[in-house]
Amino acid sequence: PERQAAFETVLSDTYQALGLYHEAVEVRKKACDYYLEKGGPEDRNYLMVAQGLVDAYRLNGQQDEALKLVEPVLANYRKVFGPEDRYTLGTMASLGALYGALGRWPDALKVEEEVVRISTKALGPEDSTTLKAMTRLGNCYQSLNRPKEALAIRERVWAADKKVLGPQNPES
């Protein structure tokens, strides 16, 4: 059963990459159920698969299902791994993206500001997780019609990106 659950997780990722979100949800739910039954709600494997299910739900337009799942998953990530863990930060980012998809931009902004604050402190201002969080924060500002703040943070990301990758790197 564990090998089957691991395969279902990989298959779900493949479906998701192909835009087959309904199939991704259905397969990932099976893997999620297995890990939940085997290890409980604080099990690392369960949390990782459940986080993927949150994203699959969101991409499949099932925001209500995603929201029901993401909040307890985030609470358990914080409890088990702490607020500065990369997976915890990733789950927080998923919550922010979900709020944005629901048009709850003030909620998304609050989450993204917290992710930027924690990741800057824990990982550094030039870490890729921090820079991605700052980019999402800029998107929140833009969606809230706060273009000056969006511009300021995007310029900080651009400068940090050039510094980290180098000015000759095509990705900077």
Side-chain angles (χ1 to χ4, degrees), residues 53-152:
L53 182 56
V54 166
D55 291 335
Y57 276 142
R58 181 177 52 83
L59 292 168
N60 197 41
Q62 296 175 268
Q63 280 78 6
D64 291 336
E65 291 299 316
L67 193 56
K68 279 190 258 182
L69 184 58
V70 74
E71 291 170 340
V73 167
L74 178 55
N76 284 326
Y77 262 122
R78 284 179 170 145
K79 179 179 178 183
V80 175
F81 302 107
E84 296 177 351
D85 179 80
R86 284 185 190 271
Y87 291 110
T88 303
L89 293 168
T91 304
M92 290 173 70
S94 290
L95 178 59
L98 181 57
Y99 284 154
L102 291 167
R104 293 173 54 181
W105 290 108
D107 293 326
L109 179 66
K110 183 178 175 184
V111 170
E112 294 299 352
E113 286 175 336
E114 185 178 5
V115 174
V116 168
R117 182 183 54 75
I118 294 170
S119 62
T120 300
K121 178 183 170 215
L123 307 172
E126 296 172 353
D127 182 84
S128 63
T129 298
T130 303
L131 295 176
K132 288 175 189 172
M134 291 172 68
T135 298
R136 291 189 308 271
L137 180 58
N139 295 342
C140 286
Y141 285 137
Q142 190 70 38
S143 295
L144 288 165
N145 198 27
R146 293 166 61 177
K148 289 181 182 178
E149 290 157 297
L151 177 62

Side-chain angles (χ1 to χ4, degrees), residues 29-43:
K29 281 193 323 193
K30 292 177 190 176
C32 204
D33 289 344
Y34 169 77
Y35 287 117
L36 180 59
E37 184 178 315
K38 179 178 182 248
E42 296 177 2
D43 176 73

